[in-house]
Amino acid sequence: MYMSCLFAYLPQSSDASLRQMLKVALNARATNVVCFDTLAALLESCQLDGPDWVVLDVDTKDGDIDELLTIMTRVTHAQWVLLTDGAPFPAWNHHAQDMAAMVFRRPIDKQAFQRLVIDQVYSEDRGQSQGTPVMTSQADQYGYLLGSSSPMQALYRQLQRLGPTKANVFIIGESGVGKEHVAKTLHGLGRPTDIGEMDMRSQGGDAPFMAVNCGALSPELIESELFGHVKGAFTGAHQDHQGIFYQAEGGTVFLDEITEMPQSLQVKLLRVLESGEYRPVGSTRNQQANVRLLAATNRDAREAIQQGKLREDIYYRLAQFVVTVPPLRARGDDIHALTTHFLAELNFNHQTTVSISDNALEHVQRYHWPGNVRELKHAIEHGFLLSNGCIEVTDLPASVMVDDPSTAVETLALPEGISLDELEKAAILQTLARYQGNRQRTAKALGISSKTLYNKLQQYHALSSD
């Protein structure tokens, strides 16, 4: 079992209670704590070994401070904990910021030291030993799709029949269910030249699959993206451009979020569906499209038609067959299987042995997953990055935790007129409290660097002192 290594140099002039706290940690064998009698001995060991934590009194006068500053620069993987009386020392401040070090100023808050140092060292060791590492996936797979629940098996059977045809397919499902994976699976199943042929003949590895998100491009660009343009067709058109329909020759074009396509372009798409012809922007000649069209939306198709988001004639042309992808909450045990799949992939890619606790796994299975498979994958990645070797409930995103009253994060009360600076401060301090003062995990959760977090906390400390 891996145990964290903590180096400490606290001379007799340091607070005796802090030395006692470290001795307790050593006696409890919760971690490997090495106490040094001299600063020189600590510096030598830091160069030879790789401590996870270094606790030292920076006010000492018995060592080479310049050498210590140099070693701090080299030992970047360790969490540095510095004890000081608070006297201005620019060199220390510079290194403390760059290393995201914890700086305790005298008189030292013993509870804060226990919570931010001792407890965190304990939690790292416990995290490394909890649970069985997830190294294998339990998710069955069909094409690009994962899962073996009854709704997914029904989907697979439908795709098996539709894949080898050249029929247009309209894919419907909530955001994050994997509509593009369905499209890629259909593409991979092949497309014979005649809709009646069902010999599973493959398109071949060279058949292109071209996907475009209709809601991600501006109305001015999407026509050129789909159909191409000729040189001089508009300002900035310095050369001919071949569109997606040309690039996908003999393959598949997947139009994601088609209800976001401008009505004017839907009319031109209708011509492609009816005659197989399209015209590049600025051209006077038609070109023939030889592609299979797949489209998808997360809207209700009927409502989209009523709201004017989708032309009815377009829908019926595309919807030769309609495939509905089930939401994750309706897939039962697939949630557990997908969790193991994503975590096993992360362990393989990062050469780690991270596990997930029974409590966290139970919570994952109980959550309703409005963001579906995409949200689950991001949640496991989030927990993987924040864990100490075992994903706990508190390592999962706050949005996932709110379903569990025992781990729910308190909602911030926002008084009328609160400034953005005050809102930022509240978010930082609340996240810091949630992770029990661990600044590295707090910075990751907030999406900022450790240095930025340190600067913010120093700013709040200064304002509090004032």
Side-chain angles (χ1 to χ4, degrees):
M1 181 184 71
Y2 175 80
M3 299 177 70
S4 296
C5 181
L6 184 149
F7 285 179
Y9 173 62
L10 298 173
Q12 294 301 316
S13 59
S14 296
D15 194 314
S17 62
L18 296 183
R19 293 199 304 274
Q20 182 62 29
M21 291 173 73
L22 292 177
K23 287 182 180 179
V24 170
L26 176 61
N27 293 335
R29 302 182 63 84
T31 187
N32 294 319
V33 179
V34 183
C35 297
F36 294 88
D37 296 327
T38 65
L39 181 60
L42 180 143
L43 296 180
E44 182 179 357
S45 293
C46 280
Q47 295 183 85
L48 297 175
D49 300 314
D52 300 296
W53 294 74
V54 181
V55 180
L56 57 88
D57 188 331
V58 300
D59 294 329
T60 179
K61 308 300 181 186
D62 68 346
D64 188 338
I65 298 299
D66 290 335
E67 182 181 358
L68 178 56
L69 293 176
T70 301
I71 292 176
M72 284 183 67
T73 304
R74 294 174 182 170
V75 187
T76 57
H77 63 277
Q79 173 68 65
W80 289 81
V81 181
L82 312 177
L83 312 181
T84 175
D85 60 11
F89 195 168
W92 277 121
N93 291 337
H94 172 73
H95 279 73
Q97 291 171 353
D98 285 348
M99 305 299 296
M102 288 190 230
V103 180
F104 291 91
R105 293 183 172 84
R106 294 185 175 87
I108 295 172
D109 185 332
K110 307 303 187 302
Q111 290 185 342
F113 188 84
Q114 173 75 38
R115 185 171 60 251
L116 299 179
V117 180
I118 302 298
D119 290 349
Q120 290 305 311
V121 174
Y122 283 177
S123 68
E124 287 184 4
D125 294 318
R126 288 198 297 268
Q128 292 287 348
S129 62
Q130 285 183 347
T132 302
V134 179
M135 309 305 293
T136 57
S137 170
Q138 297 177 18
D140 294 334
Q141 184 167 348
Y142 181 70
Y144 286 82
L145 300 167
L146 297 165
S148 54
S149 62
S150 295
M152 291 303 289
Q153 290 181 24
L155 175 63
Y156 299 161
R157 289 194 296 271
Q158 191 175 17
L159 299 184
Q160 283 177 331
R161 298 295 293 172
L162 295 178
T165 76
K166 63 179 180 182
N168 299 327
V169 177
F170 200 83
I171 306 168
I172 298 176
E174 299 175 5
S175 293
V177 294
K179 295 187 291 294
E180 185 168 344
H181 288 335
V182 170
K184 287 181 177 179
T185 300
L186 284 169
H187 170 74
L189 287 170
R191 182 174 68 87
T193 56
D194 180 54
I195 192 170
E197 297 178 17
M198 303 296 289
D199 60 2
M200 300 295 287
R201 186 169 38 164
S202 173
Q203 290 177 331
D206 295 332
F209 175 88
M210 303 296 296
V212 58
N213 188 323
C214 300
L217 296 174
S218 68
E220 295 77 18
L221 291 177
I222 191 169
E223 182 176 1
S224 173
E225 185 71 16
L226 289 177
F227 304 136
H229 64 253
V230 298
K231 180 179 179 181
F234 50 82
T235 303
H238 301 302
Q239 59 186 12
D240 290 353
H241 169 68
Q242 303 295 350
I244 284 177
F245 275 88
Y246 181 89
Q247 297 175 50
E249 174 70 19
T252 303
V253 171
F254 174 55
L255 302 176
D256 197 11
E257 304 304 342
I258 190 171
T259 52
E260 308 306 312
M261 178 182 288
Q263 284 275 347
S264 59
L265 190 58
Q266 289 186 31
V267 175
K268 297 182 179 181
L269 179 62
L270 181 62
R271 178 171 182 171
V272 178
L273 294 168
E274 291 178 338
S275 66
E277 293 183 343
Y278 67 93
R279 181 176 295 182
V281 179
S283 176
T284 58
R285 300 178 60 184
N286 291 340
Q287 294 188 15
Q288 191 71 26
N290 179 29
V291 299
R292 181 184 195 176
L293 268 175
L294 306 176
T297 181
N298 60 6
R299 296 175 179 267
D300 181 277
R302 299 293 182 182
E303 290 184 2
I305 292 172
Q306 293 175 359
Q307 296 169 359
K309 294 286 187 179
L310 181 66
R311 289 177 58 97
E312 189 171 16
D313 47 7
I314 283 280
Y315 171 73
Y316 285 116
R317 284 286 184 176
L318 286 173
Q320 285 181 278
F321 292 94
V322 176
V323 170
T324 301
V325 187
L328 183 57
R329 60 183 173 275
R331 294 174 53 182
D333 292 340
D334 279 354
I335 297 176
H336 180 280
L338 288 169
T339 299
T340 65
H341 179 85
F342 296 139
L343 185 51
E345 279 193 335
L346 289 167
N347 278 327
F348 177 81
N349 292 335
H350 295 273
Q351 295 298 294
T352 52
T353 56
V354 175
S355 60
I356 182 168
S357 71
D358 291 341
N359 187 31
L361 186 56
E362 180 183 350
H363 182 80
V364 166
Q365 292 175 285
R366 190 170 60 245
Y367 183 62
H368 65 288
W369 299 110
N372 293 291
V373 179
R374 183 189 296 121
E375 184 184 12
L376 173 61
K377 183 177 182 180
H378 290 171
I380 299 305
E381 291 172 346
H382 188 284
F384 176 85
L385 292 173
L386 295 185
S387 73
N388 287 318
C390 180
I391 299 176
E392 300 290 352
V393 175
T394 53
D395 297 320
L396 299 173
S399 59
V400 175
M401 293 173 60
V402 296
D403 265 15
D404 188 346
S406 65
T407 57
V409 179
E410 293 183 5
T411 302
L412 280 175
L414 300 179
E416 184 177 353
I418 186 172
S419 68
L420 288 177
D421 288 340
E422 291 170 329
L423 181 60
E424 178 188 65
K425 178 180 177 181
I428 288 176
L429 295 181
Q430 176 177 289
T431 307
L432 186 67
R434 176 191 168 199
Y435 290 110
Q436 299 179 325
N438 187 311
R439 281 182 286 182
Q440 291 178 323
R441 297 177 71 185
T442 299
K444 287 181 180 178
L446 292 170
I448 61 177
S449 67
S450 296
K451 183 175 180 180
T452 298
L453 176 61
Y454 179 85
N455 290 338
K456 292 290 184 183
L457 295 177
Q458 289 292 89
Q459 176 185 345
Y460 303 152
H461 178 79
L463 291 173
S464 177
S465 300
D466 292 342

